[in-house]
Amino acid sequence: MGSPDKIGAVILFDGVCNLCNTSVQFIIKRDKASYFSFAALQSPYGQGLLSKFHLPTGEFNSILLVDHGRVFQRSRAALEIAKKLDGLWPLFYAFIIVPGFIRDWLYNIISSNRYRMFGRQDQCMIPSPELKSRFVD
């Protein structure tokens, strides 16, 4: 789909995580404007963005949002994503007033236990033909 500099807002997610894949499906259904594109952290594109922003390429325990040259991680990424969704989801952005270390503490508990709680796949999700255009890799 192109180089990292030519794409708008990209959500990087753990491609083998069931919770992450469900979250991507959730976002797609509520992103009627198709604001977001998606890539697995494990994909060549995802690895390229991680390298570009000097982030670890072997850690897949945070959702990342790259938007307008800025990188958001963990709870901040989730709030920035919610802000762009249809419906009442932008109201969740009000949680930005909660200090980041508290939001991320809760985020990290879920992230650390996501495979045990929600399971994992053997390989990254393959998007359906109708959703393929939303995925970078």
Side-chain angles (χ1 to χ4, degrees), residues 48-104:
L49 273 181
L50 291 172
S51 293
K52 176 182 176 178
F53 290 102
H54 309 289
L55 296 168
T57 57
E59 294 180 20
F60 308 119
N61 50 356
S62 175
I63 191 169
L64 296 173
L65 170 64
V66 180
D67 192 6
H68 293 93
R70 294 183 63 198
V71 178
F72 302 98
Q73 299 180 58
R74 296 181 181 78
S75 65
R76 179 66 187 264
L79 292 175
E80 294 292 333
I81 292 166
K83 188 166 64 168
K84 298 285 187 186
L85 298 180
D86 298 323
L88 297 177
W89 296 104
L91 295 175
F92 278 92
Y93 194 75
F95 285 104
I96 199 74
I97 65 169
V98 176
F101 74 92
I102 294 173
R103 293 189 326 258
D104 285 343

Tab-separated table of all heavy atoms in Angstrom, residues 48-104:
chain	number	residue	atom	x	y	z
A	48	GLY	N	8.792	-1.911	9.793
A	48	GLY	CA	9.389	-0.696	9.245
A	48	GLY	C	8.988	0.545	10.022
A	48	GLY	O	9.822	1.424	10.285
A	49	LEU	N	7.709	0.623	10.402
A	49	LEU	CA	7.265	1.772	11.202
A	49	LEU	C	7.896	1.754	12.588
A	49	LEU	O	8.291	2.804	13.107
A	49	LEU	CB	5.739	1.787	11.322
A	49	LEU	CG	4.974	2.474	10.212
A	49	LEU	CD1	3.477	2.429	10.485
A	49	LEU	CD2	5.415	3.910	10.011
A	50	LEU	N	7.978	0.572	13.191
A	50	LEU	CA	8.624	0.486	14.499
A	50	LEU	C	10.061	0.987	14.418
A	50	LEU	O	10.507	1.768	15.264
A	50	LEU	CB	8.580	-0.951	15.028
A	50	LEU	CG	7.205	-1.484	15.419
A	50	LEU	CD1	7.273	-2.972	15.726
A	50	LEU	CD2	6.634	-0.714	16.598
A	51	SER	N	10.776	0.545	13.396
A	51	SER	CA	12.165	0.990	13.213
A	51	SER	C	12.233	2.491	12.972
A	51	SER	O	13.090	3.183	13.544
A	51	SER	CB	12.807	0.253	12.040
A	51	SER	OG	12.947	-1.114	12.337
A	52	LYS	N	11.344	2.987	12.136
A	52	LYS	CA	11.347	4.418	11.817
A	52	LYS	C	11.205	5.277	13.066
A	52	LYS	O	11.836	6.330	13.180
A	52	LYS	CB	10.199	4.731	10.847
A	52	LYS	CG	10.073	6.206	10.528
A	52	LYS	CD	8.917	6.492	9.610
A	52	LYS	CE	8.800	7.998	9.410
A	52	LYS	NZ	7.752	8.368	8.500
A	53	PHE	N	10.378	4.819	14.006
A	53	PHE	CA	10.142	5.586	15.234
A	53	PHE	C	10.983	5.098	16.413
A	53	PHE	O	10.711	5.438	17.556
A	53	PHE	CB	8.647	5.579	15.578
A	53	PHE	CG	7.831	6.394	14.615
A	53	PHE	CD1	7.093	5.780	13.615
A	53	PHE	CD2	7.833	7.783	14.682
A	53	PHE	CE1	6.352	6.528	12.707
A	53	PHE	CE2	7.103	8.538	13.777
A	53	PHE	CZ	6.357	7.910	12.790
A	54	HIS	N	12.013	4.289	16.109
A	54	HIS	CA	12.968	3.810	17.118
A	54	HIS	C	12.276	3.069	18.265
A	54	HIS	O	12.602	3.277	19.434
A	54	HIS	CB	13.823	4.964	17.644
A	54	HIS	CG	14.455	5.766	16.549
A	54	HIS	ND1	15.483	5.290	15.757
A	54	HIS	CD2	14.173	7.008	16.074
A	54	HIS	CE1	15.818	6.196	14.858
A	54	HIS	NE2	15.030	7.251	15.019
A	55	LEU	N	11.312	2.236	17.903
A	55	LEU	CA	10.598	1.421	18.888
A	55	LEU	C	11.072	-0.028	18.763
A	55	LEU	O	11.495	-0.447	17.682
A	55	LEU	CB	9.091	1.512	18.648
A	55	LEU	CG	8.490	2.899	18.845
A	55	LEU	CD1	7.066	2.952	18.305
A	55	LEU	CD2	8.514	3.280	20.315
A	56	PRO	N	10.996	-0.803	19.840
A	56	PRO	CA	11.440	-2.201	19.786
A	56	PRO	C	10.657	-2.996	18.732
A	56	PRO	O	9.428	-2.912	18.686
A	56	PRO	CB	11.148	-2.732	21.188
A	56	PRO	CG	10.935	-1.539	22.046
A	56	PRO	CD	10.497	-0.426	21.156
A	57	THR	N	11.359	-3.742	17.906
A	57	THR	CA	10.708	-4.507	16.838
A	57	THR	C	10.312	-5.908	17.277
A	57	THR	O	9.659	-6.615	16.512
A	57	THR	CB	11.619	-4.603	15.601
A	57	THR	OG1	12.864	-5.195	15.986
A	57	THR	CG2	11.860	-3.227	14.986
A	58	GLY	N	10.679	-6.313	18.479
A	58	GLY	CA	10.350	-7.659	18.945
A	58	GLY	C	9.288	-7.698	20.026
A	58	GLY	O	8.965	-8.754	20.537
A	59	GLU	N	8.726	-6.558	20.378
A	59	GLU	CA	7.695	-6.507	21.418
A	59	GLU	C	6.358	-6.174	20.767
A	59	GLU	O	6.234	-5.190	20.051
A	59	GLU	CB	8.041	-5.441	22.456
A	59	GLU	CG	9.280	-5.759	23.247
A	59	GLU	CD	9.605	-4.689	24.267
A	59	GLU	OE1	8.711	-3.907	24.636
A	59	GLU	OE2	10.764	-4.632	24.681
A	60	PHE	N	5.361	-7.007	21.056
A	60	PHE	CA	4.056	-6.843	20.425
A	60	PHE	C	2.949	-6.703	21.462
A	60	PHE	O	1.850	-7.176	21.276
A	60	PHE	CB	3.764	-8.024	19.496
A	60	PHE	CG	4.865	-8.293	18.515
A	60	PHE	CD1	5.522	-9.493	18.507
A	60	PHE	CD2	5.246	-7.323	17.607
A	60	PHE	CE1	6.542	-9.746	17.600
A	60	PHE	CE2	6.265	-7.546	16.697
A	60	PHE	CZ	6.916	-8.762	16.690
A	61	ASN	N	3.242	-6.037	22.578
A	61	ASN	CA	2.258	-5.970	23.657
A	61	ASN	C	1.589	-4.609	23.788
A	61	ASN	O	1.082	-4.272	24.836
A	61	ASN	CB	2.882	-6.402	24.984
A	61	ASN	CG	4.186	-5.700	25.266
A	61	ASN	OD1	4.667	-4.936	24.445
A	61	ASN	ND2	4.760	-5.967	26.416
A	62	SER	N	1.565	-3.829	22.711
A	62	SER	CA	0.847	-2.564	22.736
A	62	SER	C	0.286	-2.270	21.359
A	62	SER	O	0.939	-2.517	20.346
A	62	SER	CB	1.775	-1.413	23.145
A	62	SER	OG	1.095	-0.179	23.052
A	63	ILE	N	-0.927	-1.768	21.340
A	63	ILE	CA	-1.469	-1.238	20.097
A	63	ILE	C	-0.768	0.101	19.867
A	63	ILE	O	-0.463	0.819	20.814
A	63	ILE	CB	-2.999	-1.077	20.180
A	63	ILE	CG1	-3.587	-0.790	18.806
A	63	ILE	CG2	-3.395	-0.008	21.162
A	63	ILE	CD1	-5.100	-0.887	18.768
A	64	LEU	N	-0.472	0.385	18.625
A	64	LEU	CA	0.162	1.649	18.281
A	64	LEU	C	-0.687	2.360	17.241
A	64	LEU	O	-1.250	1.723	16.348
A	64	LEU	CB	1.554	1.433	17.680
A	64	LEU	CG	2.615	0.805	18.568
A	64	LEU	CD1	3.867	0.511	17.764
A	64	LEU	CD2	2.961	1.730	19.714
A	65	LEU	N	-0.758	3.650	17.359
A	65	LEU	CA	-1.407	4.478	16.351
A	65	LEU	C	-0.369	5.456	15.836
A	65	LEU	O	0.259	6.173	16.624
A	65	LEU	CB	-2.594	5.241	16.952
A	65	LEU	CG	-3.220	6.318	16.053
A	65	LEU	CD1	-3.834	5.702	14.795
A	65	LEU	CD2	-4.250	7.125	16.822
A	66	VAL	N	-0.168	5.456	14.530
A	66	VAL	CA	0.700	6.443	13.891
A	66	VAL	C	-0.225	7.356	13.100
A	66	VAL	O	-0.912	6.917	12.180
A	66	VAL	CB	1.742	5.776	12.973
A	66	VAL	CG1	2.619	6.830	12.317
A	66	VAL	CG2	2.589	4.773	13.759
A	67	ASP	N	-0.255	8.619	13.505
A	67	ASP	CA	-1.189	9.571	12.905
A	67	ASP	C	-0.503	10.929	12.773
A	67	ASP	O	-0.043	11.491	13.774
A	67	ASP	CB	-2.440	9.680	13.771
A	67	ASP	CG	-3.587	10.407	13.094
A	67	ASP	OD1	-3.470	10.750	11.899
A	67	ASP	OD2	-4.610	10.628	13.756
A	68	HIS	N	-0.440	11.434	11.561
A	68	HIS	CA	0.180	12.735	11.291
A	68	HIS	C	1.598	12.816	11.861
A	68	HIS	O	1.972	13.821	12.480
A	68	HIS	CB	-0.677	13.876	11.824
A	68	HIS	CG	-1.975	14.019	11.107
A	68	HIS	ND1	-3.138	13.415	11.537
A	68	HIS	CD2	-2.286	14.669	9.961
A	68	HIS	CE1	-4.107	13.708	10.697
A	68	HIS	NE2	-3.624	14.458	9.730
A	69	GLY	N	2.364	11.730	11.696
A	69	GLY	CA	3.755	11.719	12.131
A	69	GLY	C	3.961	11.537	13.619
A	69	GLY	O	5.093	11.581	14.096
A	70	ARG	N	2.887	11.322	14.353
A	70	ARG	CA	2.984	11.108	15.808
A	70	ARG	C	2.651	9.657	16.116
A	70	ARG	O	1.802	9.056	15.458
A	70	ARG	CB	2.019	12.022	16.557
A	70	ARG	CG	2.403	13.496	16.408
A	70	ARG	CD	1.502	14.386	17.212
A	70	ARG	NE	1.635	14.088	18.643
A	70	ARG	CZ	0.741	14.459	19.556
A	70	ARG	NH1	-0.325	15.131	19.198
A	70	ARG	NH2	0.914	14.163	20.818
A	71	VAL	N	3.298	9.123	17.136
A	71	VAL	CA	3.056	7.750	17.566
A	71	VAL	C	2.397	7.779	18.935
A	71	VAL	O	2.868	8.451	19.853
A	71	VAL	CB	4.369	6.941	17.661
A	71	VAL	CG1	4.107	5.534	18.160
A	71	VAL	CG2	5.074	6.902	16.326
A	72	PHE	N	1.297	7.041	19.043
A	72	PHE	CA	0.599	6.891	20.320
A	72	PHE	C	0.632	5.416	20.683
A	72	PHE	O	0.434	4.559	19.822
A	72	PHE	CB	-0.849	7.371	20.203
A	72	PHE	CG	-0.974	8.802	19.767
A	72	PHE	CD1	-1.227	9.123	18.445
A	72	PHE	CD2	-0.830	9.832	20.684
A	72	PHE	CE1	-1.349	10.440	18.031
A	72	PHE	CE2	-0.944	11.166	20.283
A	72	PHE	CZ	-1.209	11.463	18.946
A	73	GLN	N	0.855	5.134	21.965
A	73	GLN	CA	0.935	3.761	22.434
A	73	GLN	C	-0.046	3.524	23.578
A	73	GLN	O	-0.512	4.456	24.214
A	73	GLN	CB	2.349	3.456	22.944
A	73	GLN	CG	3.429	3.606	21.900
A	73	GLN	CD	4.791	3.289	22.481
A	73	GLN	OE1	5.009	2.200	22.993
A	73	GLN	NE2	5.710	4.246	22.407
A	74	ARG	N	-0.327	2.273	23.818
A	74	ARG	CA	-1.136	1.798	24.931
A	74	ARG	C	-2.458	2.552	25.059
A	74	ARG	O	-3.189	2.691	24.103
A	74	ARG	CB	-0.317	1.845	26.219
A	74	ARG	CG	0.880	0.923	26.208
A	74	ARG	CD	1.649	0.997	27.522
A	74	ARG	NE	2.799	0.139	27.517
A	74	ARG	CZ	3.951	0.444	26.902
A	74	ARG	NH1	4.089	1.582	26.269
A	74	ARG	NH2	4.967	-0.403	26.942
A	75	SER	N	-2.772	3.015	26.261
A	75	SER	CA	-4.082	3.637	26.493
A	75	SER	C	-4.254	4.918	25.685
A	75	SER	O	-5.363	5.224	25.236
A	75	SER	CB	-4.275	3.928	27.989
A	75	SER	OG	-3.351	4.900	28.444
A	76	ARG	N	-3.191	5.638	25.453
A	76	ARG	CA	-3.306	6.872	24.668
A	76	ARG	C	-3.706	6.546	23.231
A	76	ARG	O	-4.535	7.239	22.632
A	76	ARG	CB	-1.985	7.652	24.698
A	76	ARG	CG	-2.007	8.947	23.882
A	76	ARG	CD	-2.978	9.979	24.480
A	76	ARG	NE	-3.128	11.145	23.640
A	76	ARG	CZ	-2.466	12.274	23.777
A	76	ARG	NH1	-1.566	12.416	24.750
A	76	ARG	NH2	-2.691	13.285	22.972
A	77	ALA	N	-3.153	5.474	22.674
A	77	ALA	CA	-3.550	5.052	21.327
A	77	ALA	C	-5.029	4.700	21.302
A	77	ALA	O	-5.761	5.109	20.398
A	77	ALA	CB	-2.702	3.871	20.863
A	78	ALA	N	-5.477	3.946	22.300
A	78	ALA	CA	-6.884	3.544	22.360
A	78	ALA	C	-7.804	4.765	22.435
A	78	ALA	O	-8.846	4.812	21.767
A	78	ALA	CB	-7.120	2.612	23.547
A	79	LEU	N	-7.421	5.753	23.231
A	79	LEU	CA	-8.248	6.959	23.352
A	79	LEU	C	-8.248	7.776	22.064
A	79	LEU	O	-9.291	8.307	21.657
A	79	LEU	CB	-7.760	7.810	24.527
A	79	LEU	CG	-7.972	7.204	25.908
A	79	LEU	CD1	-7.333	8.084	26.982
A	79	LEU	CD2	-9.441	6.977	26.197
A	80	GLU	N	-7.106	7.882	21.424
A	80	GLU	CA	-7.030	8.612	20.150
A	80	GLU	C	-7.863	7.916	19.074
A	80	GLU	O	-8.490	8.574	18.249
A	80	GLU	CB	-5.571	8.758	19.696
A	80	GLU	CG	-4.711	9.621	20.588
A	80	GLU	CD	-5.074	11.092	20.568
A	80	GLU	OE1	-5.625	11.579	19.560
A	80	GLU	OE2	-4.781	11.778	21.570
A	81	ILE	N	-7.864	6.607	19.091
A	81	ILE	CA	-8.680	5.842	18.141
A	81	ILE	C	-10.161	6.079	18.425
A	81	ILE	O	-10.941	6.370	17.520
A	81	ILE	CB	-8.331	4.345	18.192
A	81	ILE	CG1	-6.911	4.117	17.645
A	81	ILE	CG2	-9.355	3.508	17.415
A	81	ILE	CD1	-6.334	2.751	17.956
A	82	ALA	N	-10.554	5.960	19.694
A	82	ALA	CA	-11.957	6.151	20.075
A	82	ALA	C	-12.462	7.520	19.644
A	82	ALA	O	-13.611	7.665	19.220
A	82	ALA	CB	-12.123	5.980	21.582
A	83	LYS	N	-11.598	8.516	19.701
A	83	LYS	CA	-11.969	9.887	19.348
A	83	LYS	C	-12.432	9.997	17.893
A	83	LYS	O	-13.233	10.860	17.556
A	83	LYS	CB	-10.762	10.801	19.606
A	83	LYS	CG	-11.047	12.264	19.464
A	83	LYS	CD	-9.954	13.137	20.057
A	83	LYS	CE	-8.641	12.992	19.351
A	83	LYS	NZ	-7.676	14.046	19.753
A	84	LYS	N	-11.963	9.106	17.026
A	84	LYS	CA	-12.279	9.166	15.596
A	84	LYS	C	-13.412	8.231	15.183
A	84	LYS	O	-13.811	8.221	14.025
A	84	LYS	CB	-11.040	8.805	14.766
A	84	LYS	CG	-9.878	9.731	14.952
A	84	LYS	CD	-10.123	11.026	14.238
A	84	LYS	CE	-8.868	11.891	14.279
A	84	LYS	NZ	-9.109	13.189	13.731
A	85	LEU	N	-13.938	7.443	16.100
A	85	LEU	CA	-14.974	6.469	15.746
A	85	LEU	C	-16.354	7.106	15.719
A	85	LEU	O	-16.594	8.144	16.333
A	85	LEU	CB	-14.960	5.293	16.735
A	85	LEU	CG	-13.670	4.482	16.768
A	85	LEU	CD1	-13.793	3.355	17.793
A	85	LEU	CD2	-13.309	3.935	15.397
A	86	ASP	N	-17.254	6.452	15.010
A	86	ASP	CA	-18.642	6.897	14.940
A	86	ASP	C	-19.384	6.521	16.216
A	86	ASP	O	-18.981	5.623	16.952
A	86	ASP	CB	-19.339	6.242	13.744
A	86	ASP	CG	-18.702	6.639	12.424
A	86	ASP	OD1	-18.291	7.798	12.285
A	86	ASP	OD2	-18.614	5.777	11.530
A	87	GLY	N	-20.472	7.199	16.456
A	87	GLY	CA	-21.304	6.895	17.620
A	87	GLY	C	-20.822	7.642	18.846
A	87	GLY	O	-20.259	8.738	18.759
A	88	LEU	N	-21.015	7.039	19.998
A	88	LEU	CA	-20.667	7.673	21.267
A	88	LEU	C	-19.229	7.392	21.709
A	88	LEU	O	-18.803	7.890	22.754
A	88	LEU	CB	-21.643	7.212	22.359
A	88	LEU	CG	-23.110	7.601	22.126
A	88	LEU	CD1	-23.986	7.023	23.229
A	88	LEU	CD2	-23.266	9.108	22.055
A	89	TRP	N	-18.499	6.612	20.949
A	89	TRP	CA	-17.146	6.214	21.341
A	89	TRP	C	-16.215	7.394	21.598
A	89	TRP	O	-15.354	7.300	22.491
A	89	TRP	CB	-16.564	5.231	20.325
A	89	TRP	CG	-17.376	3.978	20.317
A	89	TRP	CD1	-18.283	3.598	19.374
A	89	TRP	CD2	-17.428	2.996	21.342
A	89	TRP	NE1	-18.892	2.422	19.746
A	89	TRP	CE2	-18.381	2.026	20.953
A	89	TRP	CE3	-16.759	2.825	22.551
A	89	TRP	CZ2	-18.673	0.915	21.722
A	89	TRP	CZ3	-17.048	1.710	23.322
A	89	TRP	CH2	-17.998	0.779	22.899
A	90	PRO	N	-16.344	8.514	20.892
A	90	PRO	CA	-15.463	9.648	21.199
A	90	PRO	C	-15.596	10.162	22.641
A	90	PRO	O	-14.675	10.800	23.154
A	90	PRO	CB	-15.894	10.723	20.189
A	90	PRO	CG	-16.383	9.930	19.014
A	90	PRO	CD	-17.097	8.757	19.644
A	91	LEU	N	-16.700	9.860	23.293
A	91	LEU	CA	-16.866	10.276	24.687
A	91	LEU	C	-15.805	9.654	25.600
A	91	LEU	O	-15.460	10.227	26.638
A	91	LEU	CB	-18.260	9.919	25.195
A	91	LEU	CG	-19.421	10.652	24.517
A	91	LEU	CD1	-20.751	10.118	25.035
A	91	LEU	CD2	-19.309	12.155	24.727
A	92	PHE	N	-15.286	8.490	25.207
A	92	PHE	CA	-14.254	7.836	26.013
A	92	PHE	C	-12.980	8.668	26.086
A	92	PHE	O	-12.154	8.476	26.980
A	92	PHE	CB	-13.937	6.433	25.474
A	92	PHE	CG	-14.911	5.406	25.944
A	92	PHE	CD1	-16.027	5.109	25.182
A	92	PHE	CD2	-14.733	4.749	27.146
A	92	PHE	CE1	-16.947	4.160	25.610
A	92	PHE	CE2	-15.641	3.811	27.593
A	92	PHE	CZ	-16.757	3.514	26.820
A	93	TYR	N	-12.826	9.602	25.151
A	93	TYR	CA	-11.636	10.454	25.174
A	93	TYR	C	-11.572	11.282	26.462
A	93	TYR	O	-10.497	11.744	26.855
A	93	TYR	CB	-11.575	11.357	23.937
A	93	TYR	CG	-10.219	11.981	23.765
A	93	TYR	CD1	-9.148	11.232	23.290
A	93	TYR	CD2	-9.993	13.307	24.109
A	93	TYR	CE1	-7.892	11.789	23.151
A	93	TYR	CE2	-8.740	13.880	23.973
A	93	TYR	CZ	-7.693	13.116	23.491
A	93	TYR	OH	-6.449	13.667	23.369
A	94	ALA	N	-12.683	11.426	27.140
A	94	ALA	CA	-12.688	12.149	28.424
A	94	ALA	C	-11.740	11.501	29.435
A	94	ALA	O	-11.242	12.182	30.345
A	94	ALA	CB	-14.102	12.206	28.991
A	95	PHE	N	-11.450	10.213	29.261
A	95	PHE	CA	-10.529	9.522	30.171
A	95	PHE	C	-9.088	10.009	30.012
A	95	PHE	O	-8.205	9.597	30.767
A	95	PHE	CB	-10.606	8.006	29.989
A	95	PHE	CG	-11.834	7.410	30.597
A	95	PHE	CD1	-12.891	7.024	29.793
A	95	PHE	CD2	-11.944	7.257	31.969
A	95	PHE	CE1	-14.043	6.486	30.351
A	95	PHE	CE2	-13.087	6.729	32.540
A	95	PHE	CZ	-14.146	6.342	31.728
A	96	ILE	N	-8.847	10.902	29.074
A	96	ILE	CA	-7.517	11.472	28.899
A	96	ILE	C	-7.106	12.252	30.147
A	96	ILE	O	-5.912	12.441	30.409
A	96	ILE	CB	-7.446	12.361	27.624
A	96	ILE	CG1	-5.997	12.563	27.177
A	96	ILE	CG2	-8.145	13.684	27.825
A	96	ILE	CD1	-5.365	11.392	26.534
A	97	ILE	N	-8.107	12.676	30.955
A	97	ILE	CA	-7.779	13.411	32.186
A	97	ILE	C	-7.172	12.505	33.256
A	97	ILE	O	-6.524	12.989	34.174
A	97	ILE	CB	-9.006	14.166	32.757
A	97	ILE	CG1	-10.086	13.192	33.215
A	97	ILE	CG2	-9.543	15.167	31.753
A	97	ILE	CD1	-11.202	13.837	34.015
A	98	VAL	N	-7.378	11.192	33.136
A	98	VAL	CA	-6.756	10.248	34.067
A	98	VAL	C	-5.265	10.190	33.718
A	98	VAL	O	-4.911	10.051	32.545
A	98	VAL	CB	-7.398	8.843	33.936
A	98	VAL	CG1	-6.679	7.842	34.826
A	98	VAL	CG2	-8.887	8.916	34.254
A	99	PRO	N	-4.394	10.323	34.695
A	99	PRO	CA	-2.958	10.294	34.392
A	99	PRO	C	-2.567	9.044	33.593
A	99	PRO	O	-3.064	7.939	33.846
A	99	PRO	CB	-2.300	10.296	35.775
A	99	PRO	CG	-3.312	10.945	36.670
A	99	PRO	CD	-4.655	10.519	36.117
A	100	GLY	N	-1.675	9.246	32.643
A	100	GLY	CA	-1.263	8.170	31.751
A	100	GLY	C	-0.720	6.953	32.469
A	100	GLY	O	-0.990	5.821	32.067
A	101	PHE	N	0.021	7.144	33.561
A	101	PHE	CA	0.581	5.988	34.260
A	101	PHE	C	-0.517	5.114	34.865
A	101	PHE	O	-0.361	3.899	34.963
A	101	PHE	CB	1.628	6.412	35.305
A	101	PHE	CG	1.067	7.050	36.547
A	101	PHE	CD1	0.754	6.288	37.659
A	101	PHE	CD2	0.860	8.418	36.596
A	101	PHE	CE1	0.246	6.879	38.808
A	101	PHE	CE2	0.360	9.029	37.742
A	101	PHE	CZ	0.043	8.254	38.841
A	102	ILE	N	-1.634	5.707	35.239
A	102	ILE	CA	-2.762	4.919	35.769
A	102	ILE	C	-3.471	4.201	34.625
A	102	ILE	O	-3.750	3.006	34.721
A	102	ILE	CB	-3.747	5.821	36.549
A	102	ILE	CG1	-3.070	6.378	37.801
A	102	ILE	CG2	-5.022	5.041	36.912
A	102	ILE	CD1	-3.893	7.414	38.539
A	103	ARG	N	-3.764	4.922	33.543
A	103	ARG	CA	-4.397	4.284	32.372
A	103	ARG	C	-3.543	3.143	31.848
A	103	ARG	O	-4.038	2.068	31.534
A	103	ARG	CB	-4.630	5.304	31.254
A	103	ARG	CG	-5.632	6.373	31.545
A	103	ARG	CD	-5.950	7.203	30.300
A	103	ARG	NE	-4.842	7.391	29.393
A	103	ARG	CZ	-4.110	8.509	29.303
A	103	ARG	NH1	-4.361	9.536	30.080
A	103	ARG	NH2	-3.121	8.593	28.426
A	104	ASP	N	-2.231	3.393	31.740
A	104	ASP	CA	-1.338	2.373	31.189
A	104	ASP	C	-1.148	1.195	32.135
A	104	ASP	O	-0.905	0.079	31.694
A	104	ASP	CB	0.007	2.985	30.808
A	104	ASP	CG	-0.084	3.803	29.536
A	104	ASP	OD1	-1.070	3.655	28.780
A	104	ASP	OD2	0.844	4.602	29.286
